[in-house]
Amino acid sequence: MAGAASPGRGRGGMSEQRRHRLRLEISREAARLFWAHGVDGTSGDQIADAVGLSTRTIWRHFRSKESCAEPIVTQSVAWEMTTLREWPPHLSLEEHFEERSRRFASEADPLETADIGLGVRMIRLGDTEPAIRTAWLMACDQLEREMAEIVATRLGLAVGDLEVRLHAAAASASLRVINEYIGAALLDGVDPREFADSPARIARAVRRATAGAVGDPVVPSAGAGAGPGAGGPRPGPGSAGPNGDGVG
């Protein structure tokens, strides 16, 4: 149809991928300015100058200067969300996070690492800047939605099931607290080597938050295909109890 936007393109003919990159670039510069000068000490014009764009273009992509922090804050937990999304059934959460952490350490590019650092600074800034805190909580809400999908798949339940929603809320809240705790410690000068066990901390937190329901490998149940509800996954051998110690 004449005049119709091509797939993947938004207003003005800009592809969603390009729009995402531009928003992230703006967010990086805004985060640097917010950290250096505070939100009140930073203007839309300064953000535009730092990126090399017009102020009008900034407002085309963001509703306010504070909202410019949202993409970089979301980026700071993008690795966790991707890692959880790609968690294979046959691995425990500890095994999966450990493997992905090693891969990230060897494959992450400097820009990706820098983005995480900026995100950590924005999370810390959220302690005193309500608008930045809102951006962080929005990212955590997305993490909870992702977690619900993961929990539902691993427990063989519907996403809207109350048990799934409670586990997802508890697990995502524990991840939020860990991110805040470790980020604040690093910004306060704690040696990063103190957190070399972060993958294990994350896994333990998820297990505790879900009373051991989430964290183990899962295998198809013996009655798979025998009828409604029979084909869902179940925890594999060595399932953790409430304390994550294998005691039911």
Side-chain angles (χ1 to χ4, degrees), residues 146-168:
E146 298 275 356
M147 185 63 77
E149 296 278 354
I150 293 153
V151 172
T153 298
R154 297 190 81 83
L155 298 186
L157 298 172
V159 174
D161 185 271
L162 180 59
E163 182 180 357
V164 168
R165 293 181 62 187
L166 289 171
H167 285 327

Side-chain angles (χ1 to χ4, degrees), residues 6 23 45 70 97 110 159 198 204 238 242:
S6 60
R23 279 174 53 84
D45 290 339
E70 291 171 7
F97 262 88
V159 174
S198 290
R204 281 199 305 272

Side-chain angles (χ1 to χ4, degrees), residues 2-248:
S6 60
R9 292 186 177 275
R11 291 176 299 176
M14 179 179 289
S15 70
E16 284 303 311
Q17 186 176 31
R18 184 182 172 196
R19 181 174 178 273
H20 172 76
R21 286 199 303 266
L22 181 57
R23 279 174 53 84
L24 189 54
E25 184 180 348
I26 294 169
S27 191
R28 287 185 187 112
E29 296 303 331
R32 292 185 182 109
L33 289 167
F34 290 160
W35 186 250
H37 307 294
V39 175
D40 288 343
T42 301
S43 68
D45 290 339
Q46 288 174 307
I47 296 171
D49 287 343
V51 186
L53 298 171
S54 67
T55 305
R56 181 178 177 181
T57 299
I58 300 297
W59 302 142
R60 188 178 302 138
H61 290 278
F62 294 95
R63 65 188 179 277
S64 65
K65 68 176 180 181
E66 293 86 355
S67 68
C68 291
E70 291 171 7
I72 203 68
V73 169
T74 300
Q75 191 75 1
S76 69
V77 293
W79 178 83
E80 285 178 5
M81 287 195 285
T82 299
T83 298
L84 287 166
R85 252 185 248 123
E86 297 175 352
W87 181 14
H90 66 281
L91 292 180
S92 70
L93 188 56
E94 288 90 344
E95 292 169 329
H96 181 55
F97 262 88
E98 185 64 38
E99 188 275 329
R100 288 307 176 93
S101 295
R102 287 197 301 268
R103 183 186 300 182
F104 180 84
S106 62
E107 297 178 359
D109 61 65
L111 186 59
E112 189 174 7
T113 302
D115 282 348
I116 291 174
L118 282 172
V120 167
R121 287 173 172 82
M122 290 302 96
I123 293 168
R124 180 65 173 271
L125 192 60
D127 289 346
T128 55
E129 296 284 355
I132 305 299
R133 179 68 176 176
T134 297
W136 170 227
L137 294 179
M138 287 172 60
C140 292
D141 180 70
Q142 181 59 38
L143 182 60
E144 181 178 332
R145 293 171 189 272
E146 298 275 356
M147 185 63 77
E149 296 278 354
I150 293 153
V151 172
T153 298
R154 297 190 81 83
L155 298 186
L157 298 172
V159 174
D161 185 271
L162 180 59
E163 182 180 357
V164 168
R165 293 181 62 187
L166 289 171
H167 285 327
S172 59
S174 68
L175 291 174
R176 173 182 60 77
V177 172
I178 286 177
N179 274 288
E180 292 173 352
Y181 176 81
I182 294 178
L186 293 174
L187 290 173
D188 287 340
V190 174
D191 189 333
R193 289 174 294 185
E194 291 289 323
F195 301 108
D197 64 341
S198 290
R201 292 188 190 215
I202 291 170
R204 281 199 305 272
V206 171
R207 285 183 184 276
R208 289 172 179 169
T210 61
V214 179
D216 287 325
V218 293
V219 294
S221 61
R234 60 179 174 81
S239 299
N243 297 319
D245 55 6
V247 178

